[in-house]
Amino acid sequence: MKLTRIVEVTWDKHSLFVRGERIMVFSGEFHPFRLPVPDLWLDIFEKIKSMGFTGVSFYVDWGLVEGNPGHVSTDGIWNLEEFFDAAVQAGLYLIARPGPYINAETSAGGIPGWVLRQNATIRSDNPEYLNTTTNYMSIMGRIIEKAQITHGGPVILVQPENEYSTWPGVTDFPTSMNRKYMDFVEKQLLAAGITVPLIVNDNLALGYWAPGSGLGAVDIYGIDSYPLRYDCAHPTVWPTYRFPYDWQVVHERESPGTPFAIGEFQGGSGEGWGGVIEEKCGELVNEEAARVVYKNNYSFGVKLFNIYMTYGGTNWGNLGYQGGYTSYDYGAAITEERGIWREKFSEQKLEANFLKVSPAYLTATSGLGINGSYGAPASIAVTPLVGNGTRTNFYVVRHADFSSTDNTQYNLTVSTSIGKVSIPQLGASLILNGRDSKFHVTDYDLDGINLIYSTAEILSWARGPGSTRVLVLYGGAGELHEFAISRHLGDPAMIEGNNVTIQQKGPAWVVQWQVQPNRSVIRVSDLEIYLLWRNEAYTYWPMELPASHPIGNFSSPTKELVLVKGAYLIRNVKLVGKQLWLSGDINATTEIEVISTPVDQLEGLVFNGQQLKTSHTATGKLSAKIDYMLPTFEVPNLSNLRWKYMDSLPEIKSSYNDSAWKTCDKAISHNPRDLDTPMSLYSMDYGFHTGSLLYRGHFFANARESYIWLNISGGTGFGHSVWLDDKFLGSWPGTGAKATITQNLTIPEALSSGTPHIFTILIDHMGQDEEAPGTDAIKFPKGILGYQLSNHDQSDISWRLTGNLGGEEYQDLSRGPLNEGAMYAERQGYHYPNPPSSDWTVSSPIKNGISQAGVGFYTASFQLDFPSGWDIPLNIVFTTFTSGTSQHDELGLNYRCQIYINGYQYGKYINNLGPQKSYPIPEGVINHNGVNYIALTLWAQDAEGARIGGLDLVASTAIRSGYSKPRPAPQPSWVARSDAY
Ligand code: IPT
């Protein structure tokens, strides 16, 4: 039960109010832990803000910050204060989602490994589980508390738990146990001082936890939805069975007193091992989806809308769950390498900016979407949003069949201040081309000037000096549009372009035009109207001018706007006297033009601190050219580096001593899966939760061994390899589907009776699974589930185990608990910068590789010296053997690599599974000016060994950028690990 109400964030049934002003929370999901360079967080925030969004929603991954019980990391890459400061600087409100469970395709959904070891059901009210959460929740709660809007910070909402709303097999959800748990999590937040409203995300829109549901706890009820589902391999197939038709009705039933909120809505999708690359998910949820399904949401009157993901980032350092590979690009609006070239980015920019300048939307009531209504044919559905206290109405038009690719002509018959009109009035028809949706408006208020109607969509509008206004309209290629304004405004004049029909109809000027590549501009008295082709509208940036404290850069309905055309990105603008200072990015020589500012007679333009040579356009706007001249910079050829090599599987040698390993001696496991072995061999029971696992099984031979049967678990896409002493017995190379595998391996030669032998088993740990509440699915163990050595008792083998050095008492506080695995070189820390490699063998993973099954470790260093003022994304790119081109190319098809850059594991590559071959490395993990250490584990799973097909460092298009150059993330160098074995 919430006790406090604050004045800074309130709400009614229509929308949130922030500092007393109604606001559309148009938010993008972005996880700081998936971009471990704090200085780049501002870059992402600025890109989201420039898309017209007003907020960002983020998770905190408990498993990454409290890998070692009792020790919560809050500095370096885990320092959220820098995240909050950057959000304030960019002017974005935050929705904080600290869990404890977050899902998010993270290992165990963010539950630390040590919590999985205990007996209690995760996400239940069992005190043993609850107690594990208290340290983290109080520390994280207080960190978030300090960043609340009440203290001048960006946080306006906090979400307890995540989608705590289904409980498979339980029909009476929520039980009193579920209620007690939710109540507990909320009280933890309140105890930490959280006073902003609490929001829930219900994944099936069933009303769980809504105020008035009788469960009572939270303030704002929200739903989650992923209607395009997850089949990125077939990106043009829209599975419409989950597309919503009547969410306005559902919302009215479930939470009539709160604004319609969608806490997560599909912004992309994810893929797993052996699947397709994330780019395909960007195609599944592309700009057409953003038009059709997002506008469908607006038609229901959504007032808090969060797009999951808006920047996905990277599952670096094993932070992901087993179902995903290293990239968490998600096909989102902003690419993993922080690019904004996907058309969806531009489409969302059009939508968010429109809603930002349309206050009437915030109180409009959504009617039912009815096929064939308002004069449209039956194949078109029109959903009205009717003004409450405003005369503005909105009509969202889409194909009745969401996935239709037809081109459908229609007319719209609507009531306006000049009576009922059938649009277009000047003949012809409107057209909906394929997967598209339109926002038509009537009696839309431009601060005192009435736009009687417009079929062309509004990008933005702004007040210029005095009583002038600029309105920017757009339409898609091949479309015809029409708008009307009052005759009393005066006579329209074409000031740019042609092919526009203007006619007087009763009390209105009616303007009709066919969308063309080149714009037209009409002036009617104080109003200038730009008619754009949608793709040109993409290059317009409606930018907020900073306001006085406390609004600063945060959005507010009263903010002054500047409209700028041109540039790949405008990050922010400010006025210094009569000069407009812009910061932004260009990827080509660019003409920029200032379409509107509040200043009369703008005198100059400054771009990224550089004064531009300006001129005036024919219509009197200030414009300037910004040159893009690609600087020279060098990217080293990785094949030519002086690679150093060491064997990273000394464990198969008879001389190897494993006495420091954990002895598998637990006869009892708390794991819900029953033991099939005398002692638990579940890695999590011994504190190993990440990367890879190594087992050594000691036994004395009886000369009757002929095979060993194994049941091994590593998670989807995992592989393993098995040796008997130093003899390779075989591997499981993995598939995209199997998380466990049983295998019979033949023992090729008889062992002499009484002699000691050792099985060594290397297993890839792909991350713990996710779960629905109460299932404890995230506890499914990794490691050896079962074994049988022929003609032996199970107890004849005694097992030892290692994972990452120290297990839960992990070594690398800077890079976190999951970054390194069990391999020898990792245990020694040789993946760090500056390893003691001077007397190692010179050998290349690309030219040489290893000639038998095993693990090779390689390290090299190189220098970069990139020009300042340029943002140049870098990728490590693997080339897969295609087989057959040379004898060597047939070798080593089954191999796995980890790439370490300056100690950060930034890529897990599986040659035989894919699909990911290209691994973006953010600046700050890789040093663009200075020395870099690259390290690589090469795990050959075939008897012939492996060599890497090709490895390149590839620069993407260099962007001349107004970003702030990031300081490197912490990159501690190698120091001898005294306890390493
Ligand atoms: C939803 C989760 O809340 C989110 O964390 C993420 O995992 C997302 O899915 C998928 O990317 S849960 C889904 C069942 C709606």
Side-chain angles (χ1 to χ4, degrees):
M1 202 46 195
K2 281 300 297 269
L3 306 171
T4 326
R5 286 272 182 270
I6 57 164
V7 296
E8 286 85 351
V9 186
T10 58
W11 65 93
D12 65 8
K13 66 188 305 239
H14 296 300
S15 77
L16 246 59
F17 296 82
V18 176
R19 298 189 180 97
E21 292 180 320
R22 275 196 195 283
I23 188 167
M24 168 88 183
V25 181
F26 202 123
S27 159
E29 184 84 12
F30 157 37
H31 303 148
F33 59 86
R34 281 185 159 121
L35 178 61
V37 184
D39 283 359
L40 286 177
W41 294 339
L42 179 64
D43 177 62
I44 301 297
F45 280 140
E46 286 182 339
K47 285 168 177 164
I48 293 176
K49 174 76 176 189
S50 290
M51 236 193 312
F53 287 29
T54 57
V56 156
S57 161
F58 72 101
Y59 283 129
V60 185
D61 186 328
W62 175 24
L64 289 176
V65 297
E66 198 186 4
N68 188 356
H71 304 270
V72 178
S73 303
T74 56
D75 57 2
I77 62 173
W78 316 111
N79 184 353
L80 284 178
E81 274 151 31
E82 200 166 335
F83 190 71
F84 300 141
D85 290 348
V88 172
Q89 194 177 330
L92 287 165
Y93 293 117
L94 295 180
I95 304 170
R97 310 203 292 161
Y101 183 81
I102 59 168
N103 214 65
E105 290 72 74
T106 56
S107 185
I111 304 289
W114 56 271
V115 179
L116 306 179
R117 274 195 283 120
Q118 33 98 13
N119 206 2
T121 301
I122 306 293
R123 307 167 80 191
S124 75
D125 72 337
N126 184 318
E128 196 185 344
Y129 165 67
L130 296 180
N131 286 340
T132 64
T133 66
T134 52
N135 184 41
Y136 162 73
M137 285 299 278
S138 67
I139 292 172
M140 199 46 64
R142 283 197 301 274
I143 288 172
I144 294 168
E145 191 283 317
K146 287 202 213 95
Q148 293 184 110
I149 188 172
T150 46
H151 304 307
V155 174
I156 57 165
L157 293 166
V158 176
Q159 178 193 296
E161 247 284 340
N162 188 71
E163 292 194 330
Y164 194 70
S165 53
T166 46
W167 198 284
V170 177
T171 44
D172 59 344
F173 184 88
T175 61
S176 80
M177 185 277 271
N178 303 142
R179 293 180 191 212
K180 282 189 204 142
Y181 173 57
M182 263 307 253
D183 196 52
F184 183 85
V185 176
E186 285 153 15
K187 288 211 174 93
Q188 285 180 315
L189 294 171
L190 301 189
I194 300 298
T195 53
V196 295
L198 299 184
I199 181 166
V200 279
N201 60 335
D202 181 357
N203 74 346
L204 285 178
L206 294 174
Y208 293 129
W209 317 112
S213 64
L215 307 175
V218 301
D219 301 302
I220 308 288
Y221 173 71
I223 62 170
D224 287 356
S225 174
Y226 292 76
L228 288 143
R229 316 311 293 158
Y230 313 105
D231 186 5
C232 303
H234 301 98
T236 60
V237 180
W238 283 10
T240 52
Y241 65 97
R242 284 277 194 114
F243 279 39
Y245 289 85
D246 62 349
W247 271 350
Q248 67 282 62
V249 179
V250 175
H251 182 71
E252 196 56 31
R253 183 172 69 223
E254 285 168 358
S255 194
T258 62
F260 179 36
I262 305 180
E264 286 178 30
F265 195 85
Q266 185 162 18
S269 190
E271 273 286 321
W273 298 106
V276 297
I277 58 168
E278 301 277 291
E279 196 55 47
K280 289 279 175 192
C281 302
E283 290 170 27
L284 175 67
V285 186
N286 65 358
E287 68 283 356
E288 293 179 338
R291 274 172 214 135
V292 175
V293 292
Y294 296 179
K295 287 179 190 174
N296 193 42
N297 293 337
Y298 314 140
S299 83
F300 304 134
V302 64
K303 306 298 167 46
L304 183 155
F305 184 46
N306 177 48
I307 299 178
Y308 187 108
M309 298 297 297
T310 292
Y311 173 75
T314 309
N315 292 323
W316 64 276
N318 305 306
L319 72 83
Y321 85 131
Q322 61 185 31
Y325 43 80
T326 305
S327 176
Y328 196 67
D329 176 274
Y330 215 79
I334 304 174
T335 69
E336 184 175 3
E337 51 173 42
R338 298 179 289 104
I340 55 170
W341 47 264
R342 287 194 177 124
E343 191 170 343
K344 177 166 58 183
F345 179 95
S346 300
E347 173 56 32
Q348 291 177 184
K349 177 173 121 184
L350 303 183
E351 296 176 18
N353 276 294
F354 166 59
L355 295 176
K356 187 189 271 186
V357 296
S358 303
Y361 171 78
L362 291 176
T363 50
T365 300
S366 168
L368 280 181
I370 296 174
N371 300 344
S373 56
Y374 298 97
S379 56
I380 282 192
V382 184
T383 308
L385 282 150
V386 181
N388 275 305
T390 71
R391 57 178 179 167
T392 307
N393 294 332
F394 304 86
Y395 300 88
V396 179
V397 169
R398 60 166 171 83
H399 275 118
D401 166 5
F402 284 100
S403 65
S404 167
T405 53
D406 293 347
N407 298 339
T408 309
Q409 297 195 335
Y410 65 101
N411 286 36
L412 197 68
T413 306
V414 288
S415 296
T416 70
S417 55
I418 58 166
K420 200 167 199 175
V421 285
S422 180
I423 307 169
Q425 296 194 83
L426 305 187
S429 303
L430 304 173
I431 190 158
L432 194 64
N433 287 328
R435 289 172 171 174
D436 197 0
S437 172
K438 302 280 175 204
F439 231 126
H440 300 315
V441 299
T442 58
D443 293 304
Y444 184 93
D445 179 31
L446 304 166
D447 200 5
I449 298 178
N450 187 34
L451 179 65
I452 298 168
Y453 66 80
S454 173
T455 68
E457 293 182 275
I458 296 168
L459 164 59
S460 187
W461 62 273
R463 286 207 71 122
S467 55
T468 60
R469 330 267 202 291
V470 170
L471 168 67
V472 183
L473 301 176
Y474 67 89
E479 293 171 7
L480 171 128
H481 286 289
E482 197 176 275
F483 70 87
I485 44 169
S486 168
R487 256 177 59 204
H488 302 301
L489 288 174
D491 289 349
M494 289 296 300
I495 58 171
E496 204 181 308
N498 48 35
N499 277 336
V500 175
T501 310
I502 306 177
Q503 269 180 40
Q504 189 187 314
K505 278 257 174 192
W509 289 114
V510 176
V511 180
Q512 190 182 85
W513 97 104
Q514 191 79 41
V515 175
Q516 303 161 47
N518 294 327
R519 74 187 183 192
S520 297
V521 185
I522 297 170
R523 189 177 287 150
V524 192
S525 167
D526 278 346
L527 177 64
E528 242 174 46
I529 305 169
Y530 283 72
L531 307 179
L532 308 181
W533 171 37
R534 185 169 53 214
N535 289 40
E536 196 193 359
Y538 289 161
T539 69
Y540 282 54
W541 299 92
M543 300 300 299
E544 296 173 11
L545 283 167
S548 56
H549 183 78
I551 296 291
N553 285 331
F554 291 114
S555 300
S556 146
T558 56
K559 275 206 137 173
E560 291 184 311
L561 295 182
V562 169
L563 304 181
V564 186
K565 172 196 172 218
Y568 173 69
L569 170 69
I570 302 288
R571 293 170 183 270
N572 50 60
V573 298
K574 66 179 178 196
L575 284 164
V576 180
K578 292 203 161 199
Q579 303 259 342
L580 182 67
W581 289 53
L582 308 139
S583 103
D585 296 16
I586 57 167
N587 60 357
T589 295
T590 301
E591 195 76 45
I592 61 166
E593 182 186 355
V594 182
I595 304 296
S596 175
T597 69
V599 178
D600 199 11
Q601 310 283 333
L602 195 63
E603 283 169 3
L605 292 177
V606 176
F607 186 78
N608 294 345
Q610 184 197 332
Q611 187 84 45
L612 301 177
K613 208 165 130 270
T614 53
S615 56
H616 284 92
T617 66
T619 55
K621 309 288 180 186
L622 208 57
S623 76
K625 195 172 99 184
I626 313 172
D627 286 323
Y628 174 94
M629 272 181 335
L630 196 61
T632 51
F633 57 91
E634 271 171 40
V635 179
N637 181 335
L638 298 183
S639 299
N640 295 342
L641 299 182
R642 194 177 145 80
W643 290 91
K644 291 298 193 72
Y645 160 82
M646 67 166 310
D647 172 33
S648 187
L649 194 70
E651 295 87 353
I652 60 172
K653 293 187 184 132
S654 57
S655 56
Y656 185 81
N657 181 344
D658 62 18
S659 58
W661 292 27
K662 288 260 160 81
T663 302
C664 299
D665 56 2
K666 294 188 197 301
I668 292 170
S669 173
H670 293 317
N671 199 281
R673 185 182 186 282
D674 290 340
L675 290 182
D676 295 339
T677 54
M679 300 294 167
S680 168
L681 299 181
Y682 300 161
S683 72
M684 68 168 61
D685 284 343
Y686 302 91
F688 299 117
H689 309 290
T690 185
S692 52
L693 307 167
L694 263 170
Y695 288 81
R696 301 238 303 169
H698 300 248
F699 68 99
F700 287 95
N702 58 18
R704 288 187 292 135
E705 296 83 5
S706 59
Y707 68 87
I708 181 164
W709 175 89
L710 293 164
N711 183 6
I712 296 192
S713 164
T716 331
F718 88 105
H720 69 245
S721 297
V722 183
W723 289 263
L724 173 57
D725 304 321
D726 61 356
K727 297 224 166 35
F728 175 59
L729 293 188
S731 290
W732 164 248
T735 71
K738 289 231 182 305
T740 64
I741 190 83
T742 56
Q743 199 181 32
N744 241 329
L745 292 166
T746 307
I747 292 171
E749 288 164 31
L751 305 173
S752 1
S753 187
T755 53
H757 296 276
I758 301 173
F759 287 111
T760 300
I761 305 180
L762 174 60
I763 304 172
D764 215 355
H765 188 309
M766 314 306 280
Q768 294 296 124
D769 205 354
E770 301 180 316
E771 71 168 25
T775 58
D776 266 352
I778 56 174
K779 288 182 177 174
F780 192 85
K782 306 284 195 251
I784 301 177
L785 304 181
Y787 63 92
Q788 186 63 60
L789 177 60
S790 56
N791 296 310
H792 276 273
D793 287 341
Q794 279 196 327
S795 56
D796 288 352
I797 306 186
S798 61
W799 291 94
R800 292 187 172 205
L801 160 67
T802 188
N804 63 305
L805 186 70
E808 289 161 9
E809 284 163 39
Y810 63 99
Q811 299 278 320
D812 192 341
L813 297 181
S814 301
R815 303 176 187 91
L818 302 181
N819 187 58
E820 53 194 60
M823 293 175 184
Y824 177 80
E826 295 175 286
R827 301 197 313 263
Q828 301 294 331
Y830 294 157
H831 55 290
Y832 275 34
N834 212 9
S837 59
S838 52
D839 55 4
W840 298 2
T841 314
V842 175
S843 176
S844 158
I846 308 145
K847 293 175 180 157
N848 312 107
I850 55 178
S851 56
Q852 56 188 28
V855 183
F857 179 79
Y858 297 86
T859 177
S861 68
F862 58 87
Q863 183 96 25
L864 293 177
D865 191 15
F866 281 5
S868 68
W870 289 80
D871 184 359
I872 307 171
L874 288 172
N875 296 269
I876 298 275
V877 181
F878 284 80
T879 308
T880 313
F881 280 130
T882 43
S883 89
T885 47
S886 80
Q887 194 198 1
H888 211 138
D889 283 358
E890 313 245 25
L891 284 182
L893 271 173
N894 295 309
Y895 67 84
R896 295 172 176 240
C897 293
Q898 299 177 98
I899 283 279
Y900 281 97
I901 302 290
N902 297 316
Y904 288 82
Q905 195 260 65
Y906 239 85
K908 192 157 172 162
Y909 171 78
I910 305 180
N911 189 60
N912 48 302
L913 282 188
Q916 190 180 0
K917 291 181 191 169
S918 186
Y919 297 81
I921 318 290
E923 181 177 2
V925 166
I926 192 164
N927 303 315
H928 284 197
N929 298 86
V931 181
N932 290 285
Y933 288 85
I934 181 169
L936 190 148
T937 57
L938 171 61
W939 171 3
Q941 291 201 279
D942 299 330
E944 308 91 303
R947 125 188 124 82
I948 294 176
L951 192 70
D952 291 287
L953 189 60
V954 179
S956 301
T957 305
I959 309 282
R960 190 179 153 188
S961 177
Y963 82 137
S964 328
K965 193 170 181 60
R967 289 163 297 176
Q971 299 170 1
S973 289
W974 181 79
V975 283
R977 294 178 171 184
S978 56
D979 50 347
Y981 42 82

